[in-house]
Amino acid sequence: METPPNLNRLHQFVSELTGICHQETRGQRLIHQIKPRLQALLAHDDWLSPTLARPDPQRYQQYLLYADPQSRFSLVSFVWGPGQRTPVHDHQVWGVIGMLRGAELNQPYRLDNRGTPRPHGAPQRLNRGDVVSFLPEQGDIHQVSNALDNETSVSIHVYGGDIGATERHLWLEDGTRQPFVSGYSAQQEIH
Ligand SMILES: [Fe+2]
């Protein structure tokens, strides 16, 4: 029989996020405080429900784990099947990302003077336990993909708003910008 997930860890993390967002509103300071807490959460892999870590053969999944009632933050699990990737996209809010299982590649982009996204530097590989962050004012356009060809990868993301409902942008292969609201693959409210 499968062991039930240790939801206490998730509840504690959400409680810490709520406390931090109660005290602080500046993105850089929020990130600074959230990073070590996310690292601590990722030190254990016994708390994520299997239904929120399930890959889909068609596309990557983004499961809502928790949405702050005041939309100050949201917590999402991203599940990457082999070879799956996002389009090039932005966020409009700050974010903290950590690897729970497997590995992913994060390719930053910058817009050129015609507004076309161009790769900016080499892709960054995130391995299990690694945590990175971004701020819109420092450039938050990127493309993310599973670094593994034959395994599912799972990353845990904290965003400075209800990311599934946030109006943002993606760029098509030809560089055309489109409005983008990601929604969620499924959601599970925790209390
Ligand atoms: Fe992203």
Side-chain angles (χ1 to χ4, degrees), residues 37 57 72 81 110 113 124 146 149 156 168-169 174 184:
R37 268 94 173 181
R72 294 170 300 187
R110 291 282 187 276
N113 54 16
Q124 178 185 29
N146 191 348
D149 292 333
I156 304 301
R168 45 200 181 119
H169 309 96
D174 66 2
Y184 298 107

Side-chain angles (χ1 to χ4, degrees), residues 79-123:
V79 183
W80 312 92
Q84 292 178 346
R85 64 167 56 189
T86 67
V88 177
H89 64 275
D90 69 7
H91 307 82
Q92 304 289 323
V93 295
W94 56 261
V96 184
I97 295 170
M99 246 16 248
L100 181 66
R101 296 172 198 163
E104 71 184 29
L105 293 175
N106 175 22
Q107 172 63 63
Y109 281 77
R110 291 282 187 276
L111 298 180
D112 66 15
N113 54 16
R114 302 175 69 177
T116 303
R118 304 285 178 200
H120 182 78

Side-chain angles (χ1 to χ4, degrees), residues 89 91 134 142 144 159 168:
H89 64 275
H91 307 82
F134 57 78
H142 69 174
V144 183
Y159 296 101
R168 45 200 181 119

Side-chain angles (χ1 to χ4, degrees), residues 2-168:
E2 222 169 58
T3 314
N6 183 353
L7 288 176
N8 283 342
R9 293 195 207 281
L10 186 56
H11 290 170
Q12 188 189 333
F13 183 59
V14 166
S15 158
E16 288 169 351
L17 289 175
T18 303
I20 291 168
C21 290
H22 206 60
Q23 301 285 332
E24 182 61 64
T25 56
R26 290 160 288 188
Q28 186 74 66
R29 291 183 181 224
L30 285 162
I31 285 170
H32 182 71
Q33 293 184 53
I34 290 168
K35 271 183 166 178
R37 268 94 173 181
L38 181 56
Q39 269 159 348
L41 179 70
L42 297 172
H44 304 273
D45 186 3
D46 60 359
W47 53 268
L48 185 62
S49 164
T51 57
L52 301 171
R54 195 159 41 204
D56 179 281
Q58 300 303 322
R59 57 165 290 153
Y60 66 93
Q61 299 291 289
Q62 44 196 341
Y63 298 111
L64 179 65
L65 307 185
Y66 182 78
D68 173 56
Q70 296 177 43
S71 297
R72 294 170 300 187
F73 69 91
S74 51
L75 179 61
V76 181
S77 61
F78 270 66
V79 183
W80 312 92
Q84 292 178 346
R85 64 167 56 189
T86 67
V88 177
H89 64 275
D90 69 7
H91 307 82
Q92 304 289 323
V93 295
W94 56 261
V96 184
I97 295 170
M99 246 16 248
L100 181 66
R101 296 172 198 163
E104 71 184 29
L105 293 175
N106 175 22
Q107 172 63 63
Y109 281 77
R110 291 282 187 276
L111 298 180
D112 66 15
N113 54 16
R114 302 175 69 177
T116 303
R118 304 285 178 200
H120 182 78
Q124 178 185 29
R125 182 182 168 114
L126 273 69
N127 296 310
R128 172 151 170 63
D130 288 345
V131 172
V132 296
S133 61
F134 57 78
L135 279 168
E137 53 268 37
Q138 292 177 1
D140 70 326
I141 302 174
H142 69 174
Q143 182 174 46
V144 183
S145 56
N146 191 348
L148 307 179
D149 292 333
N150 51 9
E151 280 179 47
T152 298
S153 293
V154 179
S155 50
I156 304 301
H157 301 208
V158 186
Y159 296 101
D162 184 357
I163 194 66
T166 301
E167 293 183 7
R168 45 200 181 119

